[in-house]
Amino acid sequence: MTTSSLTEAVFSLPEDDRRGGVALARSFARRTVLTCGFRGNHDDVVLVVNELTTNAVCHGEGCPVVRIVGGRDRVLVEVVDDDTTRPRLRSNGWGLQLVATLGESWGVTERAGQKVVWCELTA
């Protein structure tokens, strides 16, 4: 990501209410894209955060963490969880299909033994 001024923010879902934490993650995403001055569609960022966080809660392990790094032209969304099983696009699933459609690019990587599902959105 090559933007001159970037904002980075991190949000951990509450351990005692992971499903309720998805709503908190959406609010976090809204605040973060406003703070970083992203000129793209904020609703797209919120939707990507919703889908990736919901997947982490329903199919992952541990306490998911949302990381957003962004600027005026690009936003990188990462959702980290403790399950190393890689998600994949499925013909009967909508979540990752939506992420792939809304994002400029997306993927899965491993960092410090944790799965990181990421999506980059552009203005």
Side-chain angles (χ1 to χ4, degrees):
M1 185 186 281
T2 57
T3 305
S4 58
S5 178
L6 296 177
T7 298
E8 178 177 5
V10 178
F11 173 76
S12 296
L13 273 70
E15 290 184 37
D16 58 340
D17 184 13
R18 290 173 19 145
R19 287 192 184 271
V22 174
L24 295 173
R26 289 192 303 265
S27 295
F28 163 76
R30 282 188 196 95
R31 288 190 312 274
T32 303
V33 293
L34 282 171
T35 300
C36 72
F38 183 55
R39 296 183 304 172
N41 189 330
H42 292 194
D43 289 338
D44 287 354
V45 177
V46 172
L47 190 52
V48 165
V49 167
N50 182 74
E51 293 301 325
L52 295 183
T53 305
T54 298
N55 281 354
V57 166
C58 293
H59 307 292
E61 294 178 6
C63 186
V65 174
V66 180
R67 177 176 174 259
I68 298 176
V69 179
R72 291 178 50 176
D73 300 318
R74 294 184 178 276
V75 168
L76 174 67
V77 173
E78 295 181 342
V79 177
V80 181
D81 74 71
D82 293 335
D83 186 358
T84 57
T85 305
R86 297 173 72 87
R88 58 183 170 80
L89 289 174
R90 298 179 189 167
S91 59
N92 63 344
W94 290 95
L96 288 179
Q97 296 283 357
L98 192 58
V99 169
T101 300
L102 295 175
E104 183 75 22
S105 58
W106 79 279
V108 184
T109 190
E110 185 181 314
R111 183 184 307 134
Q114 294 178 304
K115 174 179 61 198
V116 180
V117 184
W118 59 269
C119 179
E120 188 172 31
L121 297 99
T122 56

